[in-house]
């Protein structure tokens, strides 16, 4: 299909260093490097030269060996790699709980002093996570296993994606013996 190109403004989205890095990638892949930016003493290339190099890079034909997922150009390759980054279809619920994870420990306060906790950002909806887990019991088991693998967490939260644009995110809380979903 036809790709929509965002308007470019040198120095805002990309600068000469970004262009040179992309040109090195092209060279490493065996692609022709259009409009190489010259190294200049005491200054950077002008905005026009940077914009011209960016537009030229967008049209570079990748060699066959570099056409990941059929991508023929750098923008197509970038789109394919970004999509692959967010493709979690082959991950289990336990793997999703480890994917984008942060951990902390409560050190002050009386009631929760020493509580080790973790939070996982899940890039799919709560119903999809439940389905992937085989239901609420399967998700509870995955959360218990994730907490155990992290050295015995007392609390594990899973924040899921909203079901619709602008909707509320889901939250599943596991606390040492069970899980409860909140939408």
């Amino acid at each position: 299909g036809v790709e929509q190109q965002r308007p470019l403004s040198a120095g805002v989205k990309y600068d000469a260093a970004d262009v040179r890095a992309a040109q090195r990638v092209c060279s490493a892949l065996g692609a022709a490097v259009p409009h190489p930016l010259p190294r200049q003493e005491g200054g950077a290339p002008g905005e026009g030269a940077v914009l011209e190099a960016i537009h030229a890079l967008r049209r570079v034909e990748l060699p066959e060996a570099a056409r990941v997922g059929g991508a023929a150009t750098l923008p197509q390759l970038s789109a394919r790699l970004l999509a692959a980054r967010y493709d979690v279809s082959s991950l289990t619920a336990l793997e999703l709980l480890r994917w984008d994870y942060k951990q902390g420990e409560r050190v002050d306060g009386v009631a929760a002093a020493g509580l080790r906790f973790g939070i996982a950002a899940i890039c799919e909806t709560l119903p999809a996570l439940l389905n992937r887990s085989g239901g609420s019991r399967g998700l509870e088991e995955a959360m218990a296993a994730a907490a155990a693998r992290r050295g015995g967490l007392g609390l594990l939260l899973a924040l899921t994606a909203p079901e619709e644009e602008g909707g509320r995110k889901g939250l599943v809380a596991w606390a040492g013996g069970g899980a409860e979903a909140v939408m």
Side-chain angles (χ1 to χ4, degrees), residues 10 14 26 33 35 73 76 85 93 97 115 121 139 148 158 168 171:
Y14 304 103
C26 285
V33 179
H35 300 285
T73 65
Q76 290 172 355
R85 176 181 176 200
L97 289 165
L115 175 69
L139 180 55
R168 292 177 51 187
L171 178 67

Side-chain angles (χ1 to χ4, degrees), residues 15-177:
D15 63 15
D18 298 319
V19 170
R20 285 191 184 99
Q23 289 175 336
R24 284 192 300 274
V25 167
C26 285
S27 179
L29 293 174
V33 179
H35 300 285
L37 289 180
R39 294 264 178 214
Q40 295 180 347
E41 297 284 329
E47 181 175 326
V50 171
L51 288 174
E52 185 177 321
I54 290 169
H55 285 293
L57 281 166
R58 286 185 166 176
R59 294 186 303 270
V60 169
E61 288 287 324
L62 296 173
E64 286 296 323
R67 293 188 178 196
V68 175
T73 65
L74 285 176
Q76 290 172 355
L77 179 61
S78 176
R80 302 289 190 303
L81 292 175
L82 189 58
R85 176 181 176 200
Y86 292 105
D87 178 8
V88 296
S89 61
S90 66
L91 299 180
T92 66
L94 179 58
E95 290 167 332
L96 274 178
L97 289 165
R98 296 181 350 207
W99 191 46
D100 187 358
Y101 174 86
K102 304 293 183 272
Q103 185 170 310
E105 184 170 346
R106 175 82 188 242
V107 292
D108 59 351
V110 178
L115 175 69
R116 295 185 62 236
F117 61 91
I119 186 164
I122 308 295
C123 60
E124 65 181 10
T125 65
L126 182 54
L129 180 60
L130 285 166
N131 186 52
R132 177 188 303 267
S133 304
S136 59
R137 183 73 184 138
L139 180 55
E140 188 174 326
E141 290 170 1
M143 292 185 82
R149 285 185 179 192
R150 295 289 179 174
L153 298 177
L155 176 65
L156 177 59
L157 303 172
L159 182 64
T160 63
E163 290 186 51
E164 56 190 46
E165 188 71 32
R168 292 177 51 187
K169 295 181 176 189
L171 178 67
V172 181
W174 178 91

